[in-house]
Amino acid sequence: MKQEQTASVMIVSTTDKALGFFQKILPKDQFYPLTWVHSAGEAQRELINRSVDIVVINAPLTDEMGTELAIELAHSNSCGVMMMVKNDVYEQVSYKVEEYGVLTLPRPCTAQQAFQTMKLLLATQQRLRALEQKTASLEEKMKEIRLVNRAKGLLMDNLKFTEQEAHRYIEKAAMDNCKKKSEIAQNIINTYGKY
């Protein structure tokens, strides 16, 4: 069975009312810790030193509406971002931020609506992080393939190996030395790439 991790949440709100609301509806075994900051500037300073999984912006803020912060966070961080806005500006704000992946929730809202939106945001973030890890793994594999191909070319040019012999040489050296093929390839490049 999959072990669930807790998601850290930052509430950005001029009043502590939003913090109290989320403290009541979010189970600590799924959403912890909950922190509270008063402004966009304070949120940006806090996020320099640490990361959070979800940021909830209760707009408007004292130093801006909150849309600029939401767009910046969605663009530059891997956290999920949700904005809570008054019902009369919901359509306008939602239209402005939705293309950046920011979820918007009209106020007033029920506890169930807020909780479901937070769960959706969390599920989306977990899926995005898994895709980011997969992409990083694929990029590492592509880097290794490029290194090995370059090393094979150098072995073929300098030692007159066939492509098969060069490939076999790198694989065998990796196994014999308990190293990755990319390490062996880099050693070959360092040795023969200078000439």
Side-chain angles (χ1 to χ4, degrees), residues 8 11 32 51 64 75 90 93 96 98 102 104 107 126 140 145 154 166 173 177 180 182 192:
S8 56
I11 309 293
Y32 184 83
S51 63
E64 65 146 298
H75 181 70
Y90 169 76
V93 172
K96 186 174 183 178
E98 68 186 6
V102 176
T104 312
R107 269 192 339 254
Q126 289 172 338
E140 187 66 32
I145 289 169
L154 288 169
N177 295 297
K180 293 180 178 180
S182 59
Y192 296 107

Side-chain angles (χ1 to χ4, degrees), residues 82-118:
M82 179 174 78
M83 284 191 71
M84 296 181 71
V85 297
K86 290 182 182 175
N87 199 26
D88 59 340
V89 294
Y90 169 76
E91 290 293 329
Q92 176 187 356
V93 172
S94 181
Y95 179 77
K96 186 174 183 178
V97 300
E98 68 186 6
E99 69 181 276
Y100 299 96
V102 176
L103 295 180
T104 312
L105 192 63
R107 269 192 339 254
C109 67
T110 66
Q112 183 180 3
Q113 289 170 323
F115 180 69
Q116 287 174 337
T117 304
M118 292 291 283

Side-chain angles (χ1 to χ4, degrees), residues 147 151 154 173 177 179-194:
L147 277 173
L154 288 169
N177 295 297
K179 292 186 176 183
K180 293 180 178 180
K181 287 192 284 186
S182 59
E183 291 178 69
I184 300 299
Q186 188 61 59
N187 289 341
I188 292 167
I189 292 166
N190 292 343
T191 302
Y192 296 107
K194 298 175 185 175

Side-chain angles (χ1 to χ4, degrees), residues 2 17 21 26 38 42 142 155 164 184 188 190:
K2 188 180 105 174
K17 195 175 181 181
F21 176 74
L26 297 178
H38 301 87
E42 191 178 348
M142 291 301 295
L155 289 173
Q164 246 181 341
I184 300 299
I188 292 167
N190 292 343

Side-chain angles (χ1 to χ4, degrees), residues 9-33:
V9 180
M10 176 184 284
I11 309 293
V12 186
S13 178
T14 56
T15 67
D16 65 350
K17 195 175 181 181
L19 177 64
F21 176 74
F22 282 102
Q23 282 177 327
K24 286 179 188 172
I25 67 166
L26 297 178
K28 285 186 179 180
D29 64 331
Q30 294 176 32
F31 298 92
Y32 184 83

Side-chain angles (χ1 to χ4, degrees), residues 106-171:
R107 269 192 339 254
C109 67
T110 66
Q112 183 180 3
Q113 289 170 323
F115 180 69
Q116 287 174 337
T117 304
M118 292 291 283
K119 290 290 284 181
L120 175 64
L121 193 55
L122 180 60
T124 302
Q125 285 314 106
Q126 289 172 338
R127 184 157 173 98
L128 281 174
R129 287 208 173 117
L131 287 172
E132 286 172 354
Q133 289 174 345
K134 196 174 195 178
T135 300
S137 175
L138 287 172
E139 287 172 355
E140 187 66 32
K141 190 71 176 162
M142 291 301 295
K143 182 181 176 185
E144 179 182 287
I145 289 169
R146 284 191 292 273
L147 277 173
V148 168
N149 283 340
R150 185 166 174 221
K152 286 193 307 190
L154 288 169
L155 289 173
M156 290 162 58
D157 289 345
N158 291 286
L159 301 180
K160 306 301 180 213
F161 282 7
T162 66
E163 185 177 357
Q164 246 181 341
E165 290 170 333
H167 185 78
R168 176 72 183 126
Y169 177 85
I170 292 169
E171 279 189 337

